[in-house]
Short mmCIF file of all heavy atoms in Angstrom, two decimals:
data_model
loop_
_atom_site.label_atom_id
_atom_site.label_comp_id
_atom_site.label_asym_id
_atom_site.label_seq_id
_atom_site.Cartn_x
_atom_site.Cartn_y
_atom_site.Cartn_z
N ALA A 8 0.77 -1.23 -0.05
CA ALA A 8 -0.01 0.00 0.02
C ALA A 8 0.87 1.25 -0.02
O ALA A 8 0.57 2.28 -0.65
CB ALA A 8 -0.89 0.02 1.20
N LEU A 9 1.92 1.24 0.79
CA LEU A 9 2.88 2.42 0.75
C LEU A 9 3.52 2.66 -0.61
O LEU A 9 3.55 3.78 -1.10
CB LEU A 9 3.92 2.21 1.93
CG LEU A 9 3.57 2.48 3.34
CD1 LEU A 9 4.61 2.03 4.28
CD2 LEU A 9 3.33 4.06 3.46
N ILE A 10 3.96 1.50 -1.12
CA ILE A 10 4.63 1.59 -2.47
C ILE A 10 3.63 2.17 -3.54
O ILE A 10 3.94 3.19 -4.27
CB ILE A 10 5.07 0.25 -2.96
CG1 ILE A 10 6.33 -0.25 -2.14
CG2 ILE A 10 5.55 0.20 -4.43
CD1 ILE A 10 6.67 -1.69 -2.19
N GLU A 11 2.44 1.63 -3.54
CA GLU A 11 1.47 2.09 -4.57
C GLU A 11 0.94 3.43 -4.26
O GLU A 11 0.60 4.19 -5.13
CB GLU A 11 0.26 1.04 -4.65
CG GLU A 11 0.77 -0.35 -5.09
CD GLU A 11 1.40 -0.29 -6.44
OE1 GLU A 11 1.04 0.50 -7.33
OE2 GLU A 11 2.31 -1.18 -6.67
N GLY A 12 0.91 3.79 -2.98
CA GLY A 12 0.36 5.12 -2.53
C GLY A 12 1.30 6.24 -3.06
O GLY A 12 0.96 7.28 -3.48
N ILE A 13 2.61 5.92 -2.85
CA ILE A 13 3.62 6.96 -3.32
C ILE A 13 3.54 7.13 -4.85
O ILE A 13 3.73 8.19 -5.29
CB ILE A 13 5.05 6.57 -2.87
CG1 ILE A 13 5.07 6.62 -1.33
CG2 ILE A 13 6.00 7.47 -3.45
CD1 ILE A 13 6.49 6.07 -0.73
N LYS A 14 3.25 6.08 -5.55
CA LYS A 14 3.26 6.16 -6.98
C LYS A 14 2.03 6.99 -7.47
O LYS A 14 2.05 7.48 -8.67
CB LYS A 14 3.01 4.75 -7.61
CG LYS A 14 4.28 3.93 -7.42
CD LYS A 14 4.01 2.52 -8.01
CE LYS A 14 5.25 1.62 -7.89
NZ LYS A 14 5.06 0.25 -8.43
N LEU A 15 1.04 7.26 -6.64
CA LEU A 15 -0.02 8.16 -7.05
C LEU A 15 0.39 9.69 -7.11
O LEU A 15 -0.35 10.35 -7.73
CB LEU A 15 -1.22 8.06 -5.98
CG LEU A 15 -1.76 6.59 -5.84
CD1 LEU A 15 -2.88 6.70 -4.71
CD2 LEU A 15 -2.45 6.18 -7.13
N VAL A 16 1.48 9.97 -6.45
CA VAL A 16 1.89 11.40 -6.36
C VAL A 16 2.93 11.73 -7.45
O VAL A 16 3.91 10.99 -7.63
CB VAL A 16 2.50 11.61 -4.97
CG1 VAL A 16 2.78 13.12 -4.75
CG2 VAL A 16 1.48 11.28 -3.91
N PRO A 17 2.74 12.78 -8.15
CA PRO A 17 3.75 13.22 -9.21
C PRO A 17 5.03 13.48 -8.67
O PRO A 17 5.14 13.91 -7.49
CB PRO A 17 3.09 14.44 -9.90
CG PRO A 17 1.69 14.36 -9.52
CD PRO A 17 1.54 13.66 -8.23
N SER A 18 6.21 13.01 -9.34
CA SER A 18 7.47 13.24 -8.88
C SER A 18 7.67 14.73 -8.61
O SER A 18 7.32 15.56 -9.33
CB SER A 18 8.46 12.74 -9.85
OG SER A 18 9.82 12.90 -9.30
N GLY A 19 8.30 15.07 -7.40
CA GLY A 19 8.64 16.47 -7.02
C GLY A 19 7.58 17.14 -6.25
O GLY A 19 7.75 18.20 -5.67
N THR A 20 6.42 16.39 -6.04
CA THR A 20 5.29 17.05 -5.22
C THR A 20 5.50 16.52 -3.76
O THR A 20 5.55 15.36 -3.41
CB THR A 20 3.96 16.42 -5.74
OG1 THR A 20 3.68 16.78 -7.03
CG2 THR A 20 2.85 17.09 -4.82
N ALA A 21 5.68 17.57 -2.91
CA ALA A 21 5.86 17.28 -1.52
C ALA A 21 4.58 16.76 -0.86
O ALA A 21 3.54 17.41 -1.00
CB ALA A 21 6.37 18.51 -0.75
N VAL A 22 4.62 15.71 -0.10
CA VAL A 22 3.43 15.08 0.51
C VAL A 22 3.85 14.22 1.60
O VAL A 22 4.91 13.68 1.75
CB VAL A 22 2.61 14.27 -0.54
CG1 VAL A 22 3.36 13.05 -1.00
CG2 VAL A 22 1.19 14.04 -0.04
N THR A 23 2.91 14.15 2.63
CA THR A 23 3.03 13.24 3.65
C THR A 23 2.28 11.94 3.36
O THR A 23 1.04 11.94 3.00
CB THR A 23 2.55 13.85 4.99
OG1 THR A 23 3.33 14.93 5.37
CG2 THR A 23 2.63 12.75 6.13
N VAL A 24 2.93 10.80 3.49
CA VAL A 24 2.25 9.54 3.28
C VAL A 24 2.01 8.83 4.59
O VAL A 24 3.01 8.57 5.30
CB VAL A 24 3.12 8.63 2.43
CG1 VAL A 24 2.45 7.30 2.16
CG2 VAL A 24 3.46 9.28 1.08
N TYR A 25 0.79 8.54 4.91
CA TYR A 25 0.37 8.02 6.15
C TYR A 25 0.13 6.50 6.11
O TYR A 25 -0.43 5.93 5.17
CB TYR A 25 -0.89 8.67 6.70
CG TYR A 25 -0.78 10.10 6.99
CD1 TYR A 25 -1.13 11.11 6.08
CD2 TYR A 25 -0.34 10.58 8.20
CE1 TYR A 25 -1.06 12.45 6.25
CE2 TYR A 25 -0.22 11.89 8.53
CZ TYR A 25 -0.64 12.87 7.57
OH TYR A 25 -0.44 14.21 7.82
N THR A 26 0.56 5.81 7.13
CA THR A 26 0.34 4.35 7.24
C THR A 26 -0.08 4.15 8.70
O THR A 26 0.46 4.71 9.64
CB THR A 26 1.54 3.51 6.97
OG1 THR A 26 1.25 2.08 7.23
CG2 THR A 26 2.84 3.94 7.64
N ASP A 27 -1.03 3.21 8.91
CA ASP A 27 -1.38 2.88 10.31
C ASP A 27 -0.59 1.72 10.85
O ASP A 27 -0.87 1.17 12.00
CB ASP A 27 -2.89 2.69 10.46
CG ASP A 27 -3.42 1.56 9.73
OD1 ASP A 27 -2.74 0.68 9.21
OD2 ASP A 27 -4.65 1.50 9.51
N SER A 28 0.46 1.36 10.04
CA SER A 28 1.29 0.28 10.51
C SER A 28 2.53 0.90 11.08
O SER A 28 3.54 1.39 10.35
CB SER A 28 1.68 -0.66 9.34
OG SER A 28 2.74 -1.53 9.76
N ASN A 29 2.63 0.98 12.41
CA ASN A 29 3.98 1.60 12.97
C ASN A 29 5.14 0.73 12.57
O ASN A 29 6.28 1.26 12.38
CB ASN A 29 3.79 1.53 14.50
CG ASN A 29 4.78 2.49 15.05
OD1 ASN A 29 5.23 3.50 14.60
ND2 ASN A 29 5.16 2.24 16.38
N LEU A 30 4.98 -0.60 12.38
CA LEU A 30 6.09 -1.40 11.93
C LEU A 30 6.51 -1.02 10.56
O LEU A 30 7.73 -0.79 10.28
CB LEU A 30 5.57 -2.86 11.93
CG LEU A 30 6.62 -3.96 11.65
CD1 LEU A 30 7.67 -3.97 12.75
CD2 LEU A 30 5.98 -5.28 11.46
N ALA A 31 5.61 -0.69 9.53
CA ALA A 31 6.01 -0.38 8.29
C ALA A 31 6.73 1.05 8.29
O ALA A 31 7.62 1.39 7.61
CB ALA A 31 4.81 -0.34 7.34
N ALA A 32 6.13 1.97 9.12
CA ALA A 32 6.75 3.34 9.15
C ALA A 32 8.08 3.33 9.77
O ALA A 32 9.02 3.96 9.21
CB ALA A 32 5.83 4.24 10.04
N ARG A 33 8.40 2.50 10.80
CA ARG A 33 9.65 2.41 11.39
C ARG A 33 10.54 1.67 10.56
O ARG A 33 11.84 1.97 10.47
CB ARG A 33 9.56 1.74 12.73
CG ARG A 33 8.75 2.46 13.78
CD ARG A 33 8.87 1.83 15.18
NE ARG A 33 10.27 2.00 15.73
CZ ARG A 33 10.58 1.41 16.83
NH1 ARG A 33 9.75 0.72 17.54
NH2 ARG A 33 11.80 1.71 17.34
N THR A 34 10.10 0.70 9.70
CA THR A 34 11.03 0.04 8.77
C THR A 34 11.60 1.01 7.79
O THR A 34 12.88 1.03 7.63
CB THR A 34 10.17 -1.03 7.99
OG1 THR A 34 9.73 -2.06 8.83
CG2 THR A 34 10.98 -1.60 6.85
N VAL A 35 10.81 1.90 7.18
CA VAL A 35 11.36 2.79 6.23
C VAL A 35 12.10 3.92 6.78
O VAL A 35 13.04 4.50 6.35
CB VAL A 35 10.27 3.27 5.19
CG1 VAL A 35 9.27 4.16 5.93
CG2 VAL A 35 10.83 3.92 3.97
#
């Protein structure tokens, strides 16, 4: 979901990507 979510945003566009998985957030 994180990978595909980031792909939704045009390159160079600043954005916060939210995940409710603390494990995934800490991983990256």
Side-chain angles (χ1 to χ4, degrees):
L9 279 169
I10 291 169
E11 298 301 327
I13 294 173
K14 291 179 181 179
L15 299 178
V16 183
S18 181
T20 301
V22 70
T23 299
V24 180
Y25 294 94
T26 172
D27 63 16
S28 168
N29 197 28
L30 188 65
R33 296 188 70 186
T34 290
V35 71

